Amino acid sequence: MTTSSKTLGDCFEEFGREAFRLETLDDYSKSGSVDAYHAFLAGESQPEEYKTAGWVKTVGNAVAAGKRIYRVHILCRPLTDYLRFELSWGYRRNMTAGEEFFILDTTDQENPIPEAPDFWLFDERSIGSMSYDGEGKYLGTDFLEEDQIPRFLAYRDTAMAQAVPFAEWWAKYGK
């Protein structure tokens, strides 16, 4: 692994075609939108600042420019509280801006890529491998060398080949 002065924010400003995200954790509750997560748990309405978060604008601007932002989340039912929040509030909110979501449900099958970390892949040429602690707190991103690209493309391709569109999965399993 290598690190650089590059940030994920830089990557979202610079990518030209597509940004792919693989999510592998059941809990990111210490990484952002903490107030919204607590509101969700309390049965409250979505906070206005959550509905209009900067990410929604980032996605909307990228999609309007003809770029694709999409992700696969590897998960197993029953869903954790955090996943219920992320899927029912976050994914559905972000879909309105044009982000695409897919689910690779491992409830009844083995995870085909258990060694894959969380990552962003930009234009099939830049990889940001993301680190989290055991409580879902984001610790940072390592930008990997180009020789790692084939492995991460294989992770993406395997995940996409076995995932289903979120809306289809949600219609069957969402609550």
Side-chain angles (χ1 to χ4, degrees):
M1 274 191 227
T2 62
T3 57
S4 70
S5 59
K6 183 190 309 189
T7 67
L8 282 175
D10 294 336
C11 292
F12 281 105
E13 289 178 16
E14 298 167 1
F15 84 99
R17 279 185 353 276
E18 66 177 41
F20 171 79
R21 170 88 156 101
L22 183 70
E23 293 181 306
T24 64
L25 302 179
D26 292 333
D27 186 354
Y28 298 93
S29 63
K30 306 281 193 283
S31 294
S33 303
V34 175
D35 291 340
Y37 178 53
H38 290 295
F40 173 82
L41 292 175
E44 299 171 0
S45 298
Q46 289 186 24
E48 195 58 38
E49 62 274 7
Y50 179 76
K51 292 179 189 178
T52 59
W55 179 248
V56 177
K57 184 177 179 182
T58 297
V59 171
N61 289 342
V63 171
K67 301 174 186 180
R68 182 182 190 199
I69 299 178
Y70 64 116
R71 66 178 82 197
V72 171
H73 198 131
I74 300 172
L75 57 75
C76 184
R77 292 175 276 113
L79 299 178
T80 63
D81 286 342
Y82 183 81
L83 285 178
R84 288 186 311 103
F85 159 73
E86 180 180 59
L87 302 180
S88 66
W89 279 20
Y91 282 17
R92 293 167 71 203
R93 173 198 68 184
N94 296 355
M95 286 171 65
T96 65
E99 188 170 1
E100 299 171 51
F101 297 93
F102 300 86
I103 301 295
L104 198 168
D105 190 333
T106 60
T107 303
D108 298 321
Q109 67 177 340
E110 291 292 319
N111 181 348
I113 49 174
E115 70 284 0
D118 274 51
F119 67 90
W120 278 102
L121 176 63
F122 298 93
D123 293 332
E124 298 185 348
R125 64 172 195 222
S126 181
I127 307 157
S129 180
M130 304 174 73
S131 298
Y132 295 87
D133 71 10
E135 296 183 347
K137 180 180 180 185
Y138 174 66
L139 301 175
T141 301
D142 292 318
F143 290 91
L144 307 182
E145 297 292 335
E146 286 185 16
D147 65 346
Q148 298 295 309
I149 290 173
R151 181 165 58 105
F152 283 79
L153 288 172
Y155 291 152
R156 180 205 58 195
D157 294 347
T158 298
M160 286 298 295
Q162 295 193 35
V164 298
F166 169 71
E168 177 184 319
W169 184 90
W170 189 254
K172 190 171 183 179
Y173 301 110
K175 296 178 183 180

